[in-house]
Amino acid sequence: MQNHSSTSAFAALANRDFRLIVIARLFMIMAVQMQMTTIGLQVYYEYTTSQPQKIRFYVLGLVGLYEAIPFILNSFYSGHLADTFSRKKIILYSLFFLLIGSLFLTFFSAGAFSFLSSFGYYPLLFTVALFGIVRAFIGAAVNPFISTIIPRALYVNATTWNTTV
């Protein structure tokens, strides 16, 4: 016999704080994904046009690698940090560093940092690595933080919505 819950499918969304976190997380994920796509296209079309196709694909793969390796390496420590320090502060600091990285990308792409032009696409890869580090910390802090703002009876419903987003 199945256990049918009497709660609504939208019960977790009735919690204002949960709803705001889920919406903010949705926009953050979309922004980071758009940035990563844009960085990949910028590296591919602006910095490697004179390179052979194999090299262009290799450099494009480096963009993903420069995010994945810092993310994986920092994920071991970020979970410990999220259990030790204020998760809310970790989330806020992570969002601040994502903002700084976004501003850097904007100014770099606009040519404001002409002194970095001699480094080619490496400043972009450095920013991607920063995003990988930040995503490790924000990922370790957001999910446990959600469990502190939602009643225990709504954990399954909140997890469903959080995962869906």
Side-chain angles (χ1 to χ4, degrees):
M1 184 172 175
Q2 290 181 337
N3 182 12
H4 295 284
S5 176
S6 63
T7 60
S8 165
F10 300 97
L13 293 177
N15 183 313
R16 179 184 175 273
D17 292 336
F18 175 74
R19 193 172 55 245
L20 291 174
I21 289 224
V22 168
I23 290 169
R25 189 167 183 221
L26 171 68
F27 286 115
M28 182 206 63
I29 290 170
M30 286 187 344
V32 170
Q33 292 301 322
M34 286 188 281
Q35 285 175 336
M36 293 302 295
T37 302
T38 304
I39 290 169
L41 290 172
Q42 187 174 4
V43 166
Y44 187 80
Y45 287 111
E46 287 185 26
Y47 292 100
T48 61
T49 54
S50 63
Q51 303 293 326
Q53 194 71 19
K54 284 184 177 183
I55 299 296
R56 294 175 81 184
F57 289 147
Y58 170 75
V59 173
L60 190 57
L62 281 178
V63 173
L65 195 62
Y66 265 72
E67 183 187 22
I69 289 176
F71 176 82
I72 292 167
L73 293 176
N74 284 287
S75 64
F76 298 112
Y77 178 67
S78 63
H80 169 70
L81 192 71
D83 291 338
T84 308
F85 294 105
S86 167
R87 293 179 183 122
K88 186 176 183 179
K89 286 184 181 179
I90 292 171
I91 293 168
L92 291 174
Y93 286 134
S94 297
L95 291 174
F96 174 75
F97 282 112
L98 285 176
L99 175 66
I100 295 298
S102 299
L103 290 173
F104 174 79
L105 289 174
T106 300
F107 291 124
F108 181 78
S109 296
F113 301 127
S114 58
F115 61 93
L116 293 176
S117 62
S118 63
F119 293 106
Y121 55 82
Y122 289 106
L124 294 173
L125 295 179
F126 173 79
T127 307
V128 168
L130 173 70
F131 286 162
I133 293 168
V134 169
R135 288 181 71 179
F137 284 95
I138 203 166
V142 167
N143 290 331
F145 181 73
I146 288 174
S147 69
T148 64
I149 62 170
I150 203 84
R152 190 183 238 347
L154 297 176
Y155 278 2
V156 173
N157 187 259
T159 302
T160 301
W161 279 107
N162 189 36
T163 304
T164 300
V165 167

